[in-house]
Amino acid sequence: MSDSTHPFTLSKEQSKKKLRVGVAIDGSGVSEKALLLGGRLLHPDRRDRIYILHVSDPNKPWLPDTLTPDHLEHEYQLKCHDQQLDAVWYKKEKSKGQSTCEALIELTEELQVDILVVGSFGRKGERIDMLGTVSDFSLRAGNSDVCIVKSSSYALQNSVTWLFSTDDSHCAKAAFAALLYQILKPGDKLHVVWVTTEGGDFDNADLQSYKDAMKAAKVEGTCFLSGTKAGEPIADGILAVANKMDVDILVMGIAGYGAAKLGSVSAECCLKARCTTLVIKDPYEVKEKRAIASY
């Protein structure tokens, strides 16, 4: 297949675009893991930027000193120094009647953040039956891609193992291109899976373009199909593969996100995954929504 006809060719230009990574911190136990993950996403040679984002509430004067904005800023400046991260601290105070989620999304849009890294829960603690309010709201209402870090997420090593779940839709192809050309680093491993119901008419040719792109980019990994039994949720099939392969980060592309709901497969995976999840939103949809908001 020639470069001119390769389905991911046009997106190779994404590799030159500087990433703006925002890490939301609130002093919870998972905030430090989120910072480590945010730092891992950066490509210093591309001069990517990382922002530390904090939303303060003037109506909570009873918070302990360790959770005040000034203390958190100092604490995370030290953590960034230790990790050799040239991070910029941004604090936004909630306005009257505004939620923490709304203030955070407003801040990410002001900074045009490409990837927002959040913990799966906040200071109120973790629940296994629902995402934290901020991570859920960011997935549905924000325009940034969202990386959700869990308490069960592995500490990342020099080499990261990624699992990309595709259905070969246009948003999946765009997400794959962003992952392959803009996010992966030398030494990372990438596995691509298409989970479908057993008895479907798919064959290995469906994934040939992904194999070709990975080979051209010199990325180590595999591409394969995985079947689920009739009636079994696709999300369960994806999570079974992620658990079996013991991956560090599960990646999916989505389209049609909005304030009302998220697709059932991506929502279930974000909720139930043991590992970190990265949801990459349709770039054309993001561009359109941001253009409308700028008027």
Side-chain angles (χ1 to χ4, degrees), residues 13-84:
E13 290 301 313
Q14 291 174 287
S15 63
K16 301 176 184 178
K17 178 180 179 291
K18 296 178 184 179
L19 267 184
R20 291 164 295 209
V21 177
V23 180
I25 66 104
D26 60 2
S28 63
V30 79
S31 288
E32 188 167 352
K33 271 192 172 183
L35 178 62
L36 290 168
L37 189 284
R40 180 57 175 73
L41 294 173
L42 302 178
H43 287 244
D45 57 332
R46 198 172 53 203
R47 303 186 71 179
D48 291 347
R49 301 304 308 271
I50 184 167
Y51 309 129
I52 310 302
L53 312 177
H54 178 67
V55 174
S56 64
D57 188 344
N59 296 315
K60 292 184 177 180
W62 60 83
L63 286 175
D65 291 342
T66 54
L67 295 179
T68 61
D70 287 345
H71 180 91
L72 288 173
E73 180 178 4
H74 179 69
E75 178 184 355
Y76 276 85
Q77 282 178 340
L78 292 176
K79 292 181 186 297
C80 289
H81 181 268
D82 291 343
Q83 296 177 40
Q84 298 182 322

Side-chain angles (χ1 to χ4, degrees), residues 163 237-248 250 273-275:
L163 176 65
I238 296 171
L239 293 172
V241 172
N243 291 334
K244 183 178 180 179
M245 302 189 76
D246 208 24
V247 300
D248 295 303
L250 170 62
R274 184 275 312 157
C275 61

